[in-house]
Amino acid sequence: MIFDQKKRFENFYQAYYRMVFQLCLGFLKGDDEQAKDLTQEVFMQVWNNLEKFREDSSPKTWIYRITVNACLNHLKKQKISSEKIGEVIRDQESAEEINSDENDSVKELYKAMAELSEVDRLITGFLLEEMSHEEIASIMGITEGNLRVKIHRIKQRLKKLINHE
Amino acid sequence: MNELGKTLKEGWQSSGASIVPPTNMELLISEAEKLNQSSIKFQRNNLIILGLSFLMMCYFLLFYFGFQELLSKIGVAIMLGFFLFRVLLEAYSIYKGKEKSITKAAIDNLEEEKNYLELRLKIHGTFTYLTLGMYTLGFILLLPEFAIYLSSFWMAAMVVSYFVPGIILTLVIRKNVQKEIRELRTVVELMKKIGS
């Protein structure tokens, strides 16, 4: 039983690590170290909840749900410790967290993503992973109509940000 | 990519190509298990401490002091009753906390978190102040019988030793309530952002 669980976890870990890490990286504005920690936290939750996973959604959607909730929890903790309620964290910094090892187009992408709100950063990550609207809406818990409005806004904002560079 | 543009997609793919999972999977599993255990342990210890405090109070108030006056007996009943009420509320809050799930959709997870924080706020705010107030009332009802046996000096010492920690405790509770209010505000703010 435990062996099966480990095997299953290992499959998920190998298959979805990149996806989770990259979403965390986009969410954390390219901060590599924090993204590694957050990814680790996500997989710890995956392990602790694996027994309850009944495959009523795809593993990818299930793991993405955990990732989004872990990202939002991280944000909540950060906001509480900063003691500046109402102030959006994206205002605190911009480019300084962008990993200097990345090439220019990647840097530009994370820089543009850093200017988006936290929720929009997550949705952008899903779009870059080419997930369907249905999957994204089910992960976020919103309607597809609402999601389409958000995507329209994100596309416009990203276009502006990237053309502005 | 049809949604956001080819350049962005290429950037995303190139940045993802070099990402490989760390090999320390066993360590990750053991850390996950430790985390799970420590949260269960913390909640269990909390309940054990509260339960033991209740039993100690029962011993002192019911047997050790052996109150004779009706007023004192009412005081003891109020003190024990409200302390037990607070212990049960804590147990209920732990039970509700276990119902939360990180595997739900973001908005549902935040809704659960909001409901849980509202419950914690009620327990840590309204019900804890009510318990403290009623506990103090119970304590005051014991004083006439204590006064029969204790000198004015020891009576004063007992009252001071009750109220000074009581005031400190109230301040600590206030600080925790403020922290939970901030948490609740953040959750509501995030829910608005997802829903807007």
Side-chain angles (χ1 to χ4, degrees):
Chain A
M1 180 68 183
I2 189 81
F3 179 76
D4 289 347
Q5 287 292 73
K6 274 194 180 171
K7 190 79 208 146
R8 199 175 180 207
F9 179 73
E10 191 178 356
N11 290 340
F12 286 176
Y13 187 67
Q14 295 298 335
Y16 302 115
Y17 183 90
R18 196 264 324 143
M19 179 187 99
V20 171
F21 179 77
Q22 215 169 358
L23 192 76
C24 293
L25 198 62
F27 180 77
L28 295 164
K29 307 170 190 178
D31 186 327
D32 206 62
E33 282 310 305
Q34 274 203 68
K36 269 182 199 155
D37 290 346
L38 195 52
T39 307
Q40 187 170 320
E41 217 177 296
V42 169
F43 280 99
M44 277 157 69
Q45 291 294 350
V46 168
W47 173 258
N48 286 336
N49 288 280
L50 199 55
E51 266 181 37
K52 293 180 224 157
F53 179 49
R54 297 280 169 264
E55 310 219 1
D56 42 5
S57 60
S58 71
K60 188 176 169 185
T61 305
W62 186 71
I63 291 174
Y64 260 147
R65 275 191 192 146
I66 296 177
T67 310
V68 168
N69 291 328
C71 285
L72 295 177
N73 279 342
H74 174 86
L75 181 73
K76 203 178 80 187
K77 279 182 213 156
Q78 231 181 331
K79 282 199 174 195
I80 290 160
S81 66
S82 78
E83 297 227 348
K84 284 176 185 169
I85 303 306
E87 211 175 276
V88 184
I89 288 192
R90 72 188 148 104
D91 293 337
Q92 291 174 353
E93 45 72 48
S94 56
E96 61 184 10
E97 285 178 0
I98 309 298
N99 194 330
S100 55
D101 297 337
E102 305 281 10
N103 61 41
D104 284 348
S105 69
V106 179
K107 253 193 245 177
E108 198 186 341
L109 170 63
Y110 286 131
K111 222 170 167 180
M113 277 177 83
E115 295 298 320
L116 299 173
S117 77
E118 305 86 356
V119 174
D120 289 352
R121 286 204 292 273
L122 289 168
I123 294 174
T124 307
F126 292 137
L127 293 173
L128 290 163
E129 286 289 334
E130 293 189 315
M131 291 189 73
S132 71
H133 286 191
E134 194 192 345
E135 278 177 305
I136 303 173
S138 119
I139 290 165
M140 302 304 289
I142 55 176
T143 63
E144 284 187 52
N146 190 345
L147 179 69
R148 270 194 292 275
V149 175
K150 280 182 186 296
I151 291 173
H152 180 71
R153 274 201 311 242
I154 292 170
K155 276 163 77 175
Q156 280 187 327
R157 184 133 170 78
L158 275 179
K159 217 182 261 176
K160 244 188 217 169
L161 286 166
I162 289 171
N163 291 340
H164 202 71
E165 295 289 318
Chain B
M1 183 184 62
N2 48 9
E3 293 286 4
L4 288 179
K6 208 176 156 215
T7 325
L8 289 185
K9 173 81 190 293
E10 279 171 2
W12 186 258
Q13 276 179 345
S14 73
S15 107
S18 55
I19 299 168
V20 279
T23 48
N24 53 354
M25 205 190 74
E26 286 292 330
L27 186 70
L28 186 75
I29 291 175
S30 81
E31 286 295 319
E33 279 168 355
K34 255 189 235 163
L35 180 82
N36 207 17
Q37 285 303 315
S38 74
S39 123
I40 295 169
K41 234 185 203 172
F42 177 75
Q43 290 169 342
R44 198 182 51 203
N45 289 349
N46 233 351
L47 269 186
I48 290 173
I49 290 169
L50 279 171
L52 285 177
S53 308
F54 178 71
L55 289 177
M56 262 176 63
M57 273 176 60
C58 283
Y59 169 71
F60 279 106
L61 292 173
L62 294 175
F63 306 108
Y64 185 80
F65 291 121
F67 292 104
Q68 300 298 316
E69 307 284 329
L70 177 68
L71 201 62
S72 306
K73 286 179 180 167
I74 294 171
V76 168
I78 290 174
M79 286 173 91
L80 289 180
F82 274 88
F83 197 91
L84 183 64
F85 171 65
R86 182 65 185 80
V87 176
L88 292 176
L89 277 179
E90 193 61 36
Y92 178 68
S93 153
I94 290 172
Y95 166 73
K96 290 306 264 183
K98 277 185 179 162
E99 278 186 351
K100 286 194 298 170
S101 168
I102 197 167
T103 62
K104 286 188 177 160
I107 201 87
D108 298 333
N109 182 264
L110 288 170
E111 180 72 41
E112 268 184 356
E113 184 72 21
K114 184 178 145 256
N115 293 339
Y116 179 69
L117 282 168
E118 280 170 350
L119 173 75
R120 297 291 299 169
L121 264 176
K122 250 187 224 158
I123 293 175
H124 287 160
T126 321
F127 290 129
T128 303
Y129 287 128
L130 177 73
T131 307
L132 268 178
M134 293 309 285
Y135 195 83
T136 305
L137 175 71
F139 175 74
I140 290 167
L141 293 181
L142 302 182
L143 293 179
E145 194 169 344
F146 272 124
I148 300 172
Y149 308 104
L150 296 176
S151 68
S152 314
F153 172 78
W154 285 111
M155 279 298 287
M158 192 173 71
V159 170
V160 169
S161 69
Y162 176 84
F163 281 101
V164 170
I167 291 165
I168 295 168
L169 189 64
T170 309
L171 292 174
V172 171
I173 293 168
R174 202 168 153 251
K175 205 178 160 199
N176 285 336
V177 167
Q178 280 168 343
K179 186 180 160 261
E180 276 171 350
I181 289 174
R182 281 202 300 272
E183 268 187 75
L184 186 61
R185 267 194 219 146
T186 311
V187 170
V188 171
E189 196 184 303
L190 282 170
M191 282 178 81
K192 274 187 197 155
K193 274 186 192 169
I194 292 178
S196 68

